[in-house]
Amino acid sequence: MVNFNASAVGQTRALDQTQHVQQQSTSSIPGAIPPPATPSTIPSHNITQPADRVSRLFSESQLAQFHQLSESSRHLLLETPFLKQQQEPLSKQAFHQVMAAAGQLETYKGSDERLQLTANALLGKTYTAGDQTVVAKALDHLSTRALPTEARANLVKAQQAVKNLATQTDAKSHSQAYEALRDLAASMPKSDPQTLSVRQLAEQVRSGGMEQLRSEFKQSLQHQFHHLTKGGTERAVSLKFDIGPALGLFNLKAASATVGFGYDVKVTGNDDTRIRASHKGSLSVNLEAGGGETPVKVALSGSLGLGKTQAFANLDSFIDYHANDMLVMLVGEGAGKLKHNFKGMIQARRADAQMRNVVSHNQQLTKQLIQQNILGQGDKIQVKPRQSATPITAVGMSVDGSASLEAGIHALAKLKGALQGSVVHTTFTKHANLLDTLMTEPDRIESRPGKFFSVSVPLKDTAVMDLSDFLGDRQTKQGAEGRQWIQETENELKRLSTKLNEEPFGQDYDGEMYQDKLAAKRSELKDVIVALKLEYDSYLNAVNSYDAARSGGESGAIKRDLGHIKHAFEGSRGAEGRGEYLRAVMCTHAKLNQAYMASFREGEVPHLNPQEAPFSQFLKSVADDFRTPQLNLEQQKHIDKSLTLTSGAMSTNTQLMGTVSTSVQVPVLGEKTVDLGVKYNKIDGDINPDNDGEYINASLKLDIPAVKDKSSAIKGILKEGIGRFLSENSLELSEIDGLDDLALSGSLSASTQFEGNFVKGEDNKYHLQYIRATESTSLGGNASATAGAVKLGAGITHSSNDHLAEWISDNTLTYLQTKFNGWQNGQQSALWDQYASHHETGIGKAFDKLTESDSNIAKELDKRAGDIPNGQHLKEALLEKAGQWKADHSKENFQQAMGALNDYFEAQYLTYKSESAERLTPKYND
């Protein structure tokens, strides 16, 4: 483990702020970390505390907790500038900060003066980067000083521009404030310490403006992609490159060959409401050769496709993840938006670059503002580096072949011809937050490398230090030795806790009381936990200084020395780079936290223990800091790879698909040829349990001449073109009440596609889930060029499907359940309410069908109710309300039935989440 002394670059923020030291030379790596000293009781003094101020600051419940602290701790906290200047009662968040500070202070020892300085640095306000009040305060402070004439004039302009930010937060206002601050800094003396502060505040304001541009771009993408919230919508781009060698390319007298490379990307809105971005690359080779007196013909045709899909819980998470890459440019609203999206992508990348600059310089700026008394000793500016939730990834490998339809699906036995068959094996990988997963699944800590677990522990029997030795002497337990120390400490704490529970006043083998021995051992562990947090803070300081030096044109020696310090920190935990170092620290913290929890009896809650509540709050604050590192991190390189843990699942999808042409008799039109697209899917083991099952999807495109009764023609095509081929079903199309309106709206064209999706029910028959209308468009072209003997062909095609309308069937709950679960999982329950309100007719008919005990939907309800909490009661309530609705189709009865259905769905969602989790197998080697 790297150790720092008190005067080194990278010392902890708390001590750095209390001592107001400047960074000194970093020509060599210093020798000792500044962790807390061996825990000792803070000296108690007869301190009188102003009761009226205390009662003003704290609520009744807060006051009760505050009085559980030692008298000296209370005095230290009340004497901090933060609490002295507080005029209003503390918010819940501010009180938690006070308690966390108390928890950290209990591990420190030293003189009253030093402890007070430490307490001052632990409490303060938190501002966001570019906060208008901070910038305005800095300018007001600057106005009290003598400035050159030009700077004085620029200061007035800057003050007005910054004042405008209080009411106008658009990108233009940020731009004006940035330019004014930039001009002010340029007109100030270079030697003035506040010049650098003004310049860095200007960069924070600029970052705020660029984030506004990113936000505007994201709103544009929300509009472009809003159709993706509806099933069946798709945006796709296909790029193809063909290379055709000339004769003799393979030293053959006669030969022709084609090598094709393809890349396809699709963004789709799916039935389960997830947004999916799929990428597929393919390579194909075709070769025929022959020549000479005895021609030899060789025919090679092969294709290998490997697809990768990202699944996002909702549209917001998809846009957050992809706002700065080529995907949104390619698959936006088509050629008309290409230029706009390219500009937006560039703006998003610039916003990211500006945020990286702000993050790396933020620590230096905060220190300067504290030294200039613009910020309080414990105040901080918090930045929010770009960090998105990692999507679920699905990598599919398909094995293609051909199979006859009759062999595949008996339900479609009336369809003749051969369909293409395939079996797709999909590997799902789900990422979860590293620290949260380790806290809830402690078994996964043990699979982490031993090199991660270095700890700094206090030396035994250390004599009382003088002021210069405030931090005390420590020793490092490196890697596996550190892990062993933590494990032995956990075992001892667990033993003492068990003994104390059995004998509350008992003594251990050495005559010491169990209670006293447990408290001492727990205090030692607390000390090590705080030491780790201070090491983490020191690392962030060192890395941000390193990043700032690299971007700020510092000398090579400074950058090299800071780089040595950064790499020494990482090397101490066997880590390569910042991502893995953070991973190592969080793994160590999780194991230390596990040992801390072992010191409590079963059922005992630490934060409800008055003596442990402060440290429990400190642990919570540490976890919050770990979740949002004030550090520049790359999404895929650091966050996805190092700050998540993965779980996996495997699924199999057996598919048959193809197109069948047949002639049917259609009302209004007479005899008509229909091209029917048919897909059969049997899905097992999908990461989303709602997707499992056997499905038939039948689709056809309209080719209807200008007739008056277009809706009757459409119904006829659907019924004859789809329904007549289902040997065990007959389609009832009367529920498509909105079809007439759609036909008259002018939305239908020759490119409109209708599809019916069927699911195999509890009665082993296929039941219609929905009929959907979508509109397809396609733009693209091809080009070719000859380079020597090789002919190159290239093409790009942009296509889209837009959701026009959807009608749900009445004899299955599966589709409604899939929608409900998807939006609940994506934390967008309002979309379910909107969907239900738009499909009251279909849902009302489902309520009618529920009352028929022999119906498929009633059988589904019977089966599912047995699997969910309180299922029988919820089923009976739903059937009762459905019966009332069937007897009287009133608005009130529908709303009551809808309420019962929502109650049932909410209960089954809990089971759905459990089933989803059970399908995931933790990966212990990730």
Side-chain angles (χ1 to χ4, degrees):
M1 176 177 297
V2 175
N3 293 325
F4 266 151
N5 61 36
S7 62
V9 172
Q11 87 185 65
T12 64
R13 185 181 67 85
L15 293 175
D16 196 9
Q17 290 178 357
T18 59
Q19 298 173 17
H20 295 285
V21 296
Q22 297 291 331
Q23 290 184 350
Q24 297 183 7
S25 171
T26 57
S27 58
S28 62
I29 298 175
I33 290 181
T38 305
S40 63
T41 304
I42 297 176
S44 179
H45 306 281
N46 294 323
I47 303 168
T48 58
Q49 297 171 352
D52 57 337
R53 184 159 73 92
V54 173
S55 61
R56 185 184 75 245
L57 286 174
F58 303 106
S59 67
E60 185 175 346
S61 61
Q62 291 173 349
L63 191 59
Q65 295 181 62
F66 186 72
H67 278 310
Q68 294 291 333
L69 304 178
S70 69
E71 188 176 13
S72 292
S73 290
R74 297 199 303 269
H75 174 72
L76 289 171
L77 295 169
L78 288 171
E79 288 302 306
T80 60
F82 175 70
L83 289 184
K84 279 187 173 182
Q85 296 167 9
Q86 190 75 24
Q87 299 299 319
E88 301 295 329
L90 289 177
S91 66
K92 183 177 180 180
Q93 182 178 1
F95 180 70
H96 287 164
Q97 186 184 5
V98 170
M99 295 298 285
Q104 187 168 348
L105 279 172
E106 71 179 63
T107 66
Y108 291 157
K109 69 178 181 181
S111 68
D112 292 350
E113 178 185 7
R114 182 58 63 87
L115 290 171
Q116 187 63 63
L117 287 171
T118 303
N120 293 349
L122 293 175
L123 289 182
K125 296 179 180 179
T126 299
Y127 299 94
T128 57
D131 188 285
Q132 187 266 345
T133 58
V134 173
V135 182
K137 189 175 179 181
L139 296 180
D140 290 343
H141 180 268
L142 190 60
S143 67
T144 63
R145 302 184 52 217
L147 293 171
T149 303
E150 183 184 3
R152 177 65 60 183
N154 286 336
L155 173 61
V156 174
K157 294 177 183 178
Q159 285 178 308
Q160 183 57 50
V162 170
K163 183 180 179 181
N164 292 340
L165 287 178
T167 56
Q168 302 172 25
T169 58
D170 56 283
K172 181 179 179 181
S173 298
H174 277 84
S175 177
Q176 292 171 343
Y178 163 68
E179 290 173 358
L181 289 166
R182 181 193 60 191
D183 292 344
L184 171 59
S187 61
M188 292 174 62
K190 293 184 178 180
S191 59
D192 191 330
Q194 287 196 290
T195 302
L196 181 59
S197 299
V198 173
R199 186 181 301 123
Q200 291 179 350
L201 285 170
E203 293 302 319
Q204 291 202 348
V205 170
R206 183 187 185 201
S207 179
M210 298 189 81
E211 286 301 313
Q212 287 294 324
L213 290 176
R214 174 199 280 277
S215 179
E216 292 171 10
F217 177 48
K218 286 168 62 176
Q219 289 174 14
S220 170
L221 294 177
Q222 285 277 1
H223 176 74
Q224 292 182 53
F225 289 101
H226 76 280
H227 292 298
L228 291 174
T229 60
K230 301 176 182 179
T233 306
E234 179 179 281
R235 295 289 184 269
V237 173
S238 178
L239 298 99
K240 301 293 183 183
F241 300 91
D242 294 325
I243 303 176
L247 295 176
L249 184 63
F250 296 107
N251 294 320
L252 296 172
K253 292 184 179 181
S256 63
T258 300
V259 180
F261 299 93
Y263 173 72
D264 297 278
V265 56
K266 292 182 181 180
V267 182
T268 57
N270 294 265
D271 292 347
D272 61 3
T273 78
R274 287 188 170 123
I275 309 298
R276 287 177 171 82
S278 61
H279 310 259
K280 185 173 183 179
S282 61
L283 169 66
S284 61
V285 180
N286 288 278
L287 171 65
E288 290 184 1
E293 296 180 358
T294 308
V296 177
K297 292 186 177 181
V298 181
L300 297 175
S301 179
S303 178
L304 175 64
L306 181 63
K308 180 177 181 180
T309 299
Q310 298 168 317
F312 297 86
N314 53 47
L315 182 58
D316 289 342
S317 61
F318 165 73
I319 290 176
D320 280 341
Y321 195 86
H322 284 296
N324 70 341
D325 62 32
M326 294 289 287
L327 183 61
V328 295
M329 186 188 78
L330 288 173
V331 297
E333 283 189 338
K337 282 289 185 180
L338 189 62
K339 182 178 179 181
H340 169 81
N341 287 350
F342 181 75
K343 179 181 177 182
M345 180 193 71
I346 296 299
Q347 288 175 339
R349 290 188 175 187
R350 287 176 177 170
D352 292 341
Q354 183 64 21
M355 177 57 73
R356 288 193 291 271
N357 178 59
V358 167
V359 170
S360 60
H361 287 89
N362 184 59
Q363 168 196 317
Q364 182 184 28
L365 173 62
T366 302
K367 184 189 301 182
Q368 291 167 351
L369 295 178
I370 290 173
Q371 292 171 350
Q372 295 161 12
N373 292 320
I374 294 168
L375 293 180
Q377 294 179 35
D379 292 347
K380 62 181 179 180
I381 298 174
Q382 188 173 49
V383 293
K384 294 184 178 180
R386 181 174 180 259
Q387 182 173 339
S388 303
T390 306
I392 296 172
T393 58
V395 178
M397 176 65 76
S398 62
V399 181
D400 296 331
S402 61
S404 65
L405 185 62
E406 292 88 344
I409 318 166
H410 296 296
L412 292 177
K414 292 184 179 180
L415 284 176
K416 303 298 182 181
L419 297 186
Q420 181 66 35
S422 66
V423 178
V424 180
H425 299 284
T426 302
T427 301
F428 294 97
T429 301
K430 183 176 182 180
H431 295 253
N433 178 272
L434 170 67
L435 184 61
D436 292 343
T437 305
L438 292 176
M439 292 295 199
T440 56
E441 302 177 35
D443 288 348
R444 299 186 73 167
I445 300 174
E446 302 311 314
S447 63
R448 304 304 112 192
K451 62 186 180 181
F452 281 3
F453 294 91
S454 299
V455 290
S456 175
V457 302
L459 290 172
K460 301 292 185 182
D461 303 322
T462 303
V464 176
M465 307 293 167
D466 60 26
L467 185 60
S468 62
D469 294 320
F470 167 63
L471 296 171
D473 289 338
R474 311 185 68 80
Q475 60 179 331
T476 296
K477 302 289 187 180
Q478 193 79 33
E481 186 184 5
R483 168 183 263 174
Q484 182 180 356
W485 182 91
I486 301 172
Q487 189 61 56
E488 290 174 353
T489 300
E490 178 182 344
N491 295 340
E492 177 66 359
L493 287 168
K494 194 169 186 177
R495 182 187 75 83
L496 291 170
S497 175
T498 302
K499 289 291 187 180
L500 180 62
N501 189 41
E502 296 171 351
E503 304 176 58
F505 301 101
Q507 295 181 339
D508 205 0
Y509 57 85
D510 57 2
E512 190 173 354
M513 299 283 289
Y514 289 130
Q515 183 174 358
D516 295 338
K517 205 166 184 178
L518 176 64
K521 195 67 177 177
R522 184 187 286 161
S523 293
E524 182 183 13
L525 180 66
K526 289 180 183 179
D527 171 281
V528 174
I529 292 173
V530 173
L532 179 66
K533 176 57 166 61
L534 292 178
E535 180 198 333
Y536 168 83
D537 289 340
S538 295
Y539 176 76
L540 295 192
N541 292 349
V543 176
N544 283 325
S545 296
Y546 173 68
D547 288 347
R550 293 178 67 195
S551 64
E554 297 289 349
S555 69
I558 292 178
K559 287 186 284 188
R560 183 173 57 254
D561 289 343
L562 288 169
H564 286 328
I565 294 172
K566 171 185 178 293
H567 296 313
F569 264 114
E570 294 160 358
S572 71
R573 295 187 176 276
E576 296 184 7
R578 63 190 69 188
E580 194 172 18
Y581 175 83
L582 296 181
R583 185 181 182 92
V585 168
M586 292 182 198
C587 290
T588 305
H589 176 79
K591 187 159 183 65
L592 288 168
N593 185 80
Q594 185 181 9
Y596 175 72
M597 295 303 297
S599 70
F600 298 94
R601 298 186 299 274
E602 185 175 352
E604 188 177 2
V605 182
H607 73 264
L608 297 180
N609 182 325
Q611 284 71 44
E612 293 302 317
F615 197 77
S616 292
Q617 191 59 52
F618 168 73
L619 288 175
K620 184 178 183 303
S621 71
V622 171
D624 290 341
D625 284 351
F626 284 168
R627 290 189 186 97
T628 55
Q630 301 293 285
L631 193 65
N632 283 314
L633 299 170
E634 296 179 29
Q635 180 71 41
Q636 296 182 1
K637 181 179 179 180
H638 300 130
I639 298 170
D640 295 353
K641 182 179 179 180
S642 295
L643 299 186
T644 64
L645 288 178
T646 58
S647 299
M650 291 281 294
S651 77
T652 302
N653 182 3
T654 303
Q655 301 180 99
L656 289 170
M657 61 185 69
T659 302
V660 181
S661 296
T662 187
S663 294
V664 296
Q665 284 293 129
V666 180
V668 182
L669 301 179
E671 186 172 347
K672 188 163 183 62
T673 299
V674 174
D675 289 331
L676 185 68
V678 179
K679 295 179 183 178
Y680 165 79
N681 294 84
K682 182 179 181 181
I683 302 173
D684 294 307
D686 193 276
I687 195 172
N688 180 359
D690 284 340
N691 289 342
D692 278 6
E694 291 187 58
Y695 302 90
I696 296 173
N697 183 279
S699 62
L700 53 88
K701 281 192 176 181
L702 292 179
D703 183 15
I704 300 175
V707 295
K708 290 184 178 180
D709 191 3
K710 186 175 284 190
S711 62
S712 294
I714 294 170
K715 289 181 181 179
I717 288 180
L718 288 171
K719 186 172 183 179
E720 295 300 320
I722 298 177
R724 68 178 295 210
F725 298 110
L726 299 177
S727 60
E728 301 175 5
N729 292 270
S730 61
L731 273 177
E732 296 294 339
L733 301 178
S734 59
E735 72 271 14
I736 311 181
D737 301 300
L739 187 56
D740 294 336
D741 296 334
L742 184 65
L744 294 173
S745 69
S747 299
L748 303 182
S749 69
S751 60
T752 300
Q753 176 172 285
F754 279 84
E755 64 173 303
N757 205 68
F758 304 82
V759 63
K760 193 171 186 179
E762 294 301 317
D763 56 4
N764 289 321
K765 296 180 179 180
Y766 286 88
H767 296 275
L768 179 69
Q769 290 185 306
Y770 60 80
I771 288 181
R772 179 182 295 151
T774 57
E775 179 77 9
S776 301
T777 59
S778 180
L779 297 171
N782 290 285
S784 63
T786 301
V790 180
K791 184 177 181 181
L792 298 156
I796 178 170
T797 302
H798 189 288
S799 61
S800 66
N801 278 353
D802 284 323
H803 177 112
L804 295 179
E806 185 173 280
W807 303 271
I808 58 175
S809 186
D810 61 357
N811 204 14
T812 178
L813 281 175
T814 53
Y815 187 55
L816 291 176
Q817 176 179 299
T818 298
K819 289 290 188 186
F820 182 92
N821 289 340
W823 280 317
Q824 286 289 113
N825 194 58
Q827 300 179 347
Q828 293 184 314
S829 56
L831 290 178
W832 161 253
D833 296 333
Q834 294 175 21
Y835 184 84
S837 68
H838 292 159
H839 292 85
E840 289 188 359
T841 300
I843 294 174
K845 292 184 176 182
F847 289 151
D848 289 341
K849 204 79 170 180
L850 269 175
T851 61
E852 302 174 14
S853 60
D854 60 343
S855 66
N856 178 69
I857 192 172
K859 292 177 181 178
E860 286 180 355
L861 183 63
D862 277 340
K863 181 179 180 181
R864 189 63 173 166
D867 299 332
I868 66 177
N870 203 24
Q872 291 302 318
H873 171 75
L874 292 169
K875 181 190 78 170
E876 292 169 4
L878 176 55
L879 290 175
E880 178 186 354
K881 297 302 180 184
Q884 293 173 1
W885 156 257
K886 187 172 185 179
D888 178 11
H889 282 191
S890 67
K891 184 69 174 178
E892 180 181 359
N893 283 343
F894 179 83
Q895 290 174 345
Q896 290 184 2
M898 196 69 215
L901 179 64
N902 284 334
D903 291 342
Y904 167 79
F905 275 162
E906 287 173 2
Q908 66 79 35
Y909 176 66
L910 299 177
T911 302
Y912 162 85
K913 287 206 305 182
S914 297
E915 289 178 0
S916 298
E918 289 170 0
R919 295 189 176 202
L920 292 166
T921 302
K923 295 183 179 181
Y924 291 95
N925 60 345
D926 54 356

